[in-house]
Each structure stands twice: as structure tokens, then as C-alpha cells.
Amino acid sequence: MDQENKVANEEGDIECYYGKGMEDRIYSQPLLTKRYNTTSQIAIVGANACPVESLDYEIIENELFKQDWRSRRTIQIFQYVLLKWAFALIIGLGTGLVGIFNNIAVENISGFKLLMTTKLMLEHKYYKAFAALASCNLALAAAAAALCAYIAPAAAGSGIPEVKAYLNGVDAHSILAPSTLFVKIFGSILCVSAGFVVGKEGPMVHTGACIASLIGQGGSRKYHLTWRWLRYFKNDRDRRDLITCGAAAGVASAFRAPVGGVLFALEEAASWWRSALLWRTFFTTAVVAIVLRAFIQLCSTGTCGLFGEGGLIMYDVSAAKVAYSVPDILAVILLGVIGGIFGSLYNYLVDKVLRTYSIINEKGPAVKILLVVTISLLTSICSYGLPWFATCIPCPIDTTESCPNTDLSGNYKSFQCPPNHYNDLASLFLNTNDDAIRNLLSTSTTKEFHISSLFIFFIAIYCLGVITYGIAIPSGLFIPVILAGAGYGRLIGRLFDPITKLDVGLFALLGAASFLGGTMRMTVSLCVILLELTNDLLLLPLVMLVLLISKTVGDMFNHGVYDQIVKLKGLPYMEAHAEPYMKHLVARDVVSGPLITFSGVEKVGNILHALKTTGHNGFPVIDEPPFADAPELCGLVLRSHLLVLLKGKIFSRDRVLSGDEVVHRISKFDFAKAGSGKGVKLEDLDIKDEEMDMYVDLHPITNTSPYTVVETMSLAKAAVLFRQLGLRHMCVVPKSQGRPPIVGILTRHDFLPEHILGLYPHIRLRK
């Protein structure tokens, strides 16, 4: 291992490695460290060297797998198919119930806090009102931060980048653990109730994925819940499908948009898709929609508490008349351009803030909590202080709502105003985020908000949204982006009021769409989600237009926000396309070494030495005489499978084939994927000295049909194949005969820009 350079992780508690010999350990993108590639000594700035393993989405076609499939009866195949649909049903039910629980909890906690503040305001106890609001927010924020800092740091943020990376094949630590699910649910409730400019909708995607992961564990050996008929799901491929269903269910639960949830999983989350998965995902989101509808009807009777009736997002703008002319189209185009510019700037600022917070958060849990409390206090000051700059507006005489509102959420908050007047800024700030969006999207209320108030609200929400994302709380980006977009959309609507026919509420919706397109760079799924949210198909052409324009403008400046966060977190995500410089290289140019191979019947001591001295997760198996006429590639064997085989101690003193004994003594279930990172470890092996010189037959556990490419294949073509097939290892074989049967192995690490540009620093200059 002389080519390896051991590097300490930023947190100091994990040893990470950087070097050409570390197969399947990922050396990825930026936080704020600096390191040198050991081959070229070219500085790689911002490379986070934490080891992250890839997932085994490939079917391991070894002898045990074939024997298992041959032994399956029709009833077992029926059980397998039935369980897939049953798990989809359970994921839909679980995610829907969590969505209902989140909404009811947030609405009641926020409702209690806001009603207490309103009551003190009506009694002209303004300082006490601010103290009550700020103290409630601080307590809720501190509780959410403590959960994240001490129990599950992986629950911070929206979780969508982590789910996206997992579905790309990256097994990041603890992102789908039970503790992460617990903190995601309760932390999200606490931080949204604390008045932060965040949403509970983004974390619902992560929550749905965590629920699906728990169900997809296939039982638990620790708690003796390993039913035989669950063994078929102990693999990464089936778990990936279930987590895709969970991500779609999260969107459906958050936005009451079942079709939008399916399209979100297809467009943004999943890296691999097939028609069978489409049906199960659609079934899962349909179950979520049914669960939500049942509870919405229950809450409409007033049994869900203070704000239960309005808790689930549904902004009905269908009452507005949709008729547009050339000036309206020009206004919509302007909205799209503004959304693309503001969205790209938003992504740039979020990137800078996250880099800054990463340095602060490294100082420990106490500093994380202090940062959260500081942002909470700043948010409380803005929410309570900015409405004092707004002028009181007389209540409209033709409104059907109570004006001013004193005991309900609504458009007309009294704040400090005299009777029969309302404060428009307070109506936006001193409400839940959902109700603030509902107020901005309200139709037939052209003069409800002053232009100056909309401008102040947009600037405040834009800035608060930037500085809030990245602190140690579960936080979604959807709601801050919708809030800011609806704010400047309604502002543009007011400015174009003399020449436009569109309602200002529809302008607010189109502004939200433009900002969403400019930040997240999605089109189809966002379009459907917004239409399902607002219940107005007549807006379809305008929403499509504004999304296309904003995405196009935003792409001119930078990548989508989730892509940036994936890169920033150091998750080695493989894009669907190859980089241009890869066309100038071939597969053998980036092969990592040294290559370690095993014979078909290998000495136990050699295997144990290789496992101890390397971090490789895949080893080529080569048959040599007398088991073959000439050296030939038998296949590929995984580290995890070798550990299980060594623990079973099916050894022989002579170098002979003993595959039948392995098949009879060890079942495929023993080699199944362990849940939550558990499984046989090197420390669990108890190999005696006399066993080191014995032999073990690797043929039964060797994948005899690994994916191979010839060494002269274009690296760009190899990268596309690697990503589209969802591989963990790709064998590179020689073009000519008379050479060793394998040149090397390509893993995810070998396709990363840090590795390639470290070897060939000037290749980027070539067109």
C-alpha cells in the first residue's frame, strides 16, 4: 500500500484513504480541505476524502444464486411479486400517515404560538408579544437542533440530495437509518413550528425513503425477525425500488400531488427506471392520496385542532378567470427570466453559505445549536419587526372573510392597527408558511398587499431562506422558494396591472413556478405538482412556458440546487452524461492499481492478507491450470461474500474443487445484504494458524458474468455504460491474446473528475 496517502477526516474520528489502490472508496468533492494526488502531485482543492461505498445494484450470478432460483417453486415466485405490491401499499400508508401527523402537529403548535402573540398584541402588550413569539421560536428551534446535533446529524437539511445520491448508487452513512427517520419527523415539526423560512415538504421525500428502507430491510436477525419469505428483499436492487417508491410517496404526501410524486421520482430522484417500477410507484402515491383525502374529510369537521382544516397544502386558484393576451405573455416571459436569474443567484448564495456553515458546524454540537438559535432570533426579529414598517389598510367592504383576523389564520392580520384595519405584512409574516402562500395566491384581491410590502417580504424571505438552509435542522427548500417566488410574482402582477388581464394571484403562482424552475431546474414534475396544488389546468401553457424559460436562463449560470448540494456534501454522484474530456481517454488510462486477483481455489492466508491490506470490495477470480487450459477470467468475487465464506470455514487441505460442499452448507440467504451497515466484518473472523495454509473454493460465490469492456473503449462510453447499468465494478480486459486475462477494474472512483484530472491535469484544455 505504498501508493496510499492516509488522510484524516475533517471530524477527526474516521480514517479516510486517498490512493490508486483503494477500489470502491470514493474521494469526492469539496468542503474545504486540500490534498495532493499521489501520482501527479497536482493539488486537488476541496476534496473530501471520506470513504463512501457503492451499492450492489448488479445481480450477482454465482452458483448459489443459480441454485436458489432453480429451487424456487411457483408459490415462492408468487409470494415475491405479492410482497412487492404489499410493501408498496405499506410505504404509501406509512408516508401518508406521517404527512398527516406532520401537518396537524405544525398547525396546532404554530396556531397556539400565533394566537398567544395575537392576544397580547390586541392588549397592546407589544414587548410581551415579541418576547412570547421569540421565546417559543427559540425553544422549538433549540429542540430541533439538539435532535439533529446529538442523535442524527444526517437528518439535517432536506435529505433530497442524499436520497438522490443513494438512488445513484452511493451508500452514504446513516442517511436512511431509523434514528434519521425519527429526527426527520420530529425535527421537521419543531423547526417549521419555530417560524423558520423552511418547509416540511422537502424532508417528506427523505422521510418516505427512510420508511421504505426500514420496510426493505427484509427482517432483522438481531431481533429474530428473519422470516424466510423476506429473504428475497435482502439486496440493494429491491431496496432501491422500494426507496424510489418512498421518495415519490413523500412528494405525494407533502403536496397532495400523486402524479407529481411519480414524475418527481422519475425526473429528479431516480437514476434508473423501468416500466414495472412505474406501476408500483403510481400505486404507492395513489395510496397516499387516499389516506390524505380520508383525513382531510375528518379534519374538515374541526377534530384536528386549531388549524387542522387548513393544514394540508392546496391552493385553489380555479376561481380566477384565465384569459391572457400579448402583454400577459410578455409579462410571463419576464417572470421566467427573473426566476432564472434569481434562482441561479439563490443557488450561488446557498453554496457559499453551506461552505461557511460547514466550518462552523465542525466545532461541535454546541456550536451547531448556537448557530440555529442565532438564526431563530434573527427570523423572529424580522417576522415581528418588519410589519411595523407597513401602513395600516382599511378592511375591504366586499370581503367574505372576517377582517381583521384575531383567532384564525387569514389574509387580514390586525397587528398594531386600529379597528377595521389590517397590516398586510403581518398577514404574511405572522402566519404559517402554508397560509402565507395561500394569502399570496389568493385571487380577486388586487389591492390587498401594497407594492412596498411585497418588495420587503420578497427581500426578507429571499435572504432568510438563504441563511437558514444549512443549519442543523431538517429543512426543505420548496416552501422558501415558493414563498419568495409568489412574492415577486404578485409584485410583477401589481406593476403590470394597468395592461394585463391576469389576476395577481395567478401572477403569484407563475412567479413561484419561475423561481422553482430557476433553482431546482425541473420542468415536468414541477409543472404537474403546481397544477395539482392549484387545481387549474387552464394555466398549463403559462406554467410550462415560465418553467422552460427559467430553467434555460438558470442553466446558463450554474447547476440546480440539489446537484450543487450533492457535490458540496462530497457524495460521488455520477451524471447521466460523460464529461467532454473523457472522449480523449480510453478505459486503461484510468485503471487504478495495484490489481489483486485470486485463483479459483485460493489459499486462505492469501485471501485474509488481501482483505487486511486493501480496501478493495471486488476481486477478479482467475482459473489457472489444472482447472483451465490457460489462465482465464472466471469472474468477480465481493469482499462481503469472501468474509461470509471464510467465517463458514469450508476449507480443504488440498487444492481441489469443493463447490458442492459450499452449496450444501451455506445458503444464498447467508450472503444477503445486511441491514443498516451490519454484516460480517474482518474482526469477526477467527482463522487459526493451521487454517492459513488451507484452500477454499471461490467458484460457488464468484459472479461468473461480470460486465467487461475492452481496454481500448472510450472512457466516455465506459462511463455511460457504468452509470446506465448501475454497476459497482467494471472489468477491463485486454484487447490482444497472450496477456493476463484482466487489465484492471473500473469503479465509481475512476470516473470522478478529481481522479481523472489528477492523472491528466491538462486534459480539460482539449476540446
Side-chain angles (χ1 to χ4, degrees):
M1 301 302 290
D2 56 343
Q3 295 188 27
E4 293 175 2
N5 175 26
K6 190 177 292 187
V7 183
N9 188 348
E10 289 107 346
E11 295 182 0
D13 57 352
I14 302 175
E15 285 188 337
C16 301
Y17 299 87
Y18 187 85
K20 292 185 68 179
M22 297 301 295
E23 254 195 287
D24 213 12
R25 286 181 177 268
I26 309 305
Y27 321 104
S28 44
Q29 276 292 94
L31 284 180
L32 293 169
T33 60
K34 181 175 180 179
R35 203 183 58 246
Y36 289 85
N37 180 281
T38 55
T39 300
S40 62
Q41 295 298 307
I42 299 299
I44 301 174
V45 180
N48 176 10
C50 186
V52 181
E53 292 188 4
S54 296
L55 296 164
D56 290 310
Y57 289 153
E58 180 186 356
I59 295 178
I60 308 300
E61 294 184 356
N62 54 32
E63 188 58 37
L64 286 171
F65 171 83
K66 295 174 183 177
Q67 179 67 22
D68 180 70
W69 268 104
R70 285 193 295 263
S71 64
R72 288 193 189 185
R73 300 188 300 273
T74 304
I75 185 64
Q76 292 173 322
I77 297 175
F78 176 76
Q79 283 180 342
Y80 174 68
V81 175
L82 182 64
L83 279 172
K84 281 187 175 182
W85 290 95
F87 284 171
L89 173 66
I90 296 170
I91 292 169
L93 288 172
T95 309
L97 291 173
V98 169
I100 290 290
F101 173 72
N102 282 3
N103 277 281
I104 293 176
V106 167
E107 293 293 331
N108 282 276
I109 296 173
S110 299
F112 172 80
K113 177 189 70 176
L114 294 173
L115 285 176
M116 179 174 61
T117 304
T118 301
K119 181 179 179 181
L120 291 171
M121 291 291 295
L122 291 174
E123 296 172 359
H124 303 292
K125 299 176 180 178
Y126 300 126
Y127 291 106
K128 288 186 177 180
F130 173 72
L133 178 68
S135 59
C136 286
N137 288 344
L138 285 174
L140 293 168
L147 287 175
C148 265
Y150 289 105
I151 298 179
S158 70
I160 293 178
E162 288 85 349
V163 173
K164 183 176 179 179
Y166 183 93
L167 294 177
N168 188 259
V170 180
D171 192 11
H173 181 65
S174 296
I175 61 171
L176 300 174
S179 58
T180 304
L181 173 62
F182 172 81
V183 174
K184 205 73 180 185
I185 295 173
F186 291 97
S188 177
I189 292 171
L190 291 170
C191 68
V192 175
S193 301
F196 283 115
V197 184
V198 297
K200 58 186 179 297
E201 288 68 28
M204 275 304 302
V205 176
H206 196 180
T207 300
C210 289
I211 293 172
S213 178
L214 279 179
I215 295 171
Q217 295 293 326
S220 170
R221 296 185 185 182
K222 180 179 179 181
Y223 298 106
H224 306 289
L225 298 175
T226 53
W227 293 288
R228 182 176 177 81
W229 41 272
L230 284 175
R231 72 186 188 276
Y232 301 124
F233 293 90
K234 284 186 171 289
N235 62 82
D236 288 327
R237 177 175 288 236
D238 282 320
R239 286 187 194 174
R240 175 192 67 190
D241 291 349
L242 291 175
I243 289 168
T244 303
C245 292
V251 175
S253 178
F255 295 108
R256 285 171 56 187
V259 179
V262 175
L263 293 175
F264 176 86
L266 172 61
E267 182 180 7
E268 181 66 14
S271 294
W272 299 282
W273 199 265
R274 61 185 190 278
S275 58
L277 182 59
L278 176 66
W279 284 104
R280 283 204 302 278
T281 307
F282 186 72
F283 172 70
T284 305
T285 57
V287 172
V288 172
I290 293 171
V291 172
L292 293 178
R293 177 57 59 187
F295 274 87
I296 288 170
Q297 292 180 351
L298 177 65
C299 289
S300 64
T301 62
T303 57
C304 294
L306 292 170
F307 283 59
E309 187 174 350
L312 294 170
I313 298 180
M314 187 64 180
Y315 315 120
D316 194 346
V317 298
S318 59
K321 182 180 179 181
V322 180
Y324 42 88
S325 57
V326 174
D328 300 320
I329 300 296
L330 294 176
V332 170
I333 293 174
L334 176 63
L335 273 177
V337 174
I338 293 175
I341 295 173
F342 281 159
S344 59
L345 177 62
Y346 191 88
N347 294 355
Y348 173 81
L349 294 174
V350 165
D351 181 85
K352 297 301 180 185
V353 168
L354 285 175
R355 290 174 183 272
T356 304
Y357 285 170
S358 69
I359 301 174
I360 299 173
N361 290 335
E362 285 174 10
K363 301 183 183 300
V367 177
K368 290 182 180 181
I369 297 174
L370 180 61
L371 177 61
V372 172
V373 169
T374 303
I375 299 298
S376 173
L377 184 60
L378 178 61
T379 304
S380 298
I381 292 173
C382 290
S383 299
Y384 187 83
L386 290 177
W388 290 93
F389 293 97
T391 57
C392 294
I393 304 173
C395 288
I397 57 176
D398 57 346
T399 181
T400 57
E401 296 185 34
S402 59
C403 182
N405 302 115
T406 56
D407 58 347
L408 294 171
S409 61
N411 291 34
Y412 308 106
K413 286 284 184 180
S414 174
F415 202 64
Q416 89 290 8
C417 294
N420 297 322
H421 289 71
Y422 72 96
N423 187 310
D424 56 349
L425 261 182
S427 302
L428 297 175
F429 278 113
L430 293 180
N431 252 325
T432 63
N433 292 335
D434 295 354
D435 287 319
I437 296 173
R438 193 172 287 108
N439 293 345
L440 286 170
L441 298 185
S442 60
T443 56
S444 303
T445 53
T446 304
K447 305 294 184 181
E448 181 182 342
F449 300 102
H450 277 308
I451 292 178
S452 58
S453 298
L454 291 171
F455 181 77
I456 293 172
F457 178 77
F458 165 66
I459 296 298
I461 293 297
Y462 192 95
C463 296
L464 288 174
V466 168
I467 65 172
T468 302
Y469 194 84
I471 59 178
I473 57 172
S475 53
L477 281 171
F478 272 101
I479 293 304
V481 170
I482 292 176
L483 269 174
Y488 77 72
R490 196 173 182 102
L491 175 61
I492 296 296
R494 287 294 306 273
L495 295 176
F496 276 78
D497 185 56
I499 60 173
T500 185
K501 297 180 181 178
L502 279 179
D503 191 281
V504 289
L506 302 183
F507 266 104
L509 172 62
L510 294 172
S514 70
F515 202 10
L516 284 169
T519 54
M520 300 179 183
R521 312 294 162 79
M522 294 181 283
T523 52
V524 179
S525 56
L526 282 180
C527 182
V528 174
I529 288 172
L530 288 171
L531 292 178
E532 288 185 285
L533 276 175
T534 55
N535 193 30
D536 195 346
L537 281 174
L538 296 176
L539 276 177
L540 178 61
L542 297 182
V543 173
M544 293 173 66
L545 178 63
V546 79
L547 282 172
L548 287 171
I549 294 173
S550 61
K551 181 186 185 304
T552 303
V553 172
D555 285 338
M556 296 169 61
F557 297 99
N558 50 31
H559 296 290
V561 64
Y562 294 135
D563 293 325
Q564 288 190 176
I565 295 172
V566 165
K567 191 174 182 181
L568 188 66
K569 286 178 176 289
L571 299 172
Y573 186 87
M574 285 198 69
E575 299 290 347
H577 60 275
E579 296 293 339
Y581 55 79
M582 291 184 179
K583 297 177 182 178
H584 304 291
L585 299 171
V586 295
R588 66 165 174 256
D589 291 335
V590 297
V591 166
S592 297
L595 180 66
I596 296 177
T597 63
F598 293 136
S599 298
V601 181
E602 185 59 81
K603 188 176 289 188
V604 173
N606 293 342
I607 298 175
L608 200 59
H609 176 74
L611 295 178
K612 287 181 178 179
T613 57
T614 71
H616 299 3
N617 283 290
F619 300 88
V621 177
I622 297 176
D623 272 337
E624 299 173 333
F627 304 111
D629 296 333
E632 64 181 21
L633 179 63
C634 176
L636 196 72
V637 64
L638 296 180
R639 167 184 284 265
S640 58
H641 291 184
L642 287 171
L643 291 171
V644 173
L645 189 62
L646 291 178
K647 189 174 183 181
K649 293 190 175 184
I650 308 177
F651 306 149
S652 61
R653 297 194 178 276
D654 300 320
R655 193 165 180 260
V656 296
L657 296 174
S658 58
D660 291 340
E661 185 181 0
V662 175
V663 172
H664 287 101
R665 286 181 54 181
I666 302 181
S667 68
K668 182 178 181 293
F669 181 61
D670 295 320
F671 294 89
K673 176 80 172 185
S676 302
K678 299 178 178 65
V680 180
K681 297 179 177 60
L682 197 59
E683 299 78 28
D684 299 332
L685 301 182
D686 183 21
I687 306 296
K688 298 179 174 58
D689 292 338
E690 60 269 18
E691 294 173 331
M692 298 291 281
D693 292 326
M694 299 180 73
Y695 293 91
V696 58
D697 187 3
L698 302 182
H699 290 92
I701 64 169
T702 299
N703 180 11
T704 56
S705 57
Y707 286 94
T708 60
V709 296
V710 70
E711 61 181 341
T712 54
M713 176 181 281
S714 164
L715 186 62
K717 190 174 181 180
V720 172
L721 284 174
F722 191 96
R723 204 261 196 188
Q724 288 182 347
L725 295 171
L727 301 183
R728 184 179 185 181
H729 303 97
M730 176 182 280
C731 297
V732 181
V733 296
K735 185 177 182 180
S736 59
Q737 297 180 351
R739 297 168 55 190
I742 183 167
V743 175
I745 295 179
L746 292 176
T747 64
R748 186 176 292 260
H749 156 63
D750 298 303
F751 294 104
L752 293 181
E754 292 78 25
H755 174 67
I756 299 172
L757 297 178
L759 295 174
Y760 307 98
H762 304 297
I763 194 71
R764 192 191 292 270
L765 301 177
R766 299 178 63 182
K767 298 297 182 182

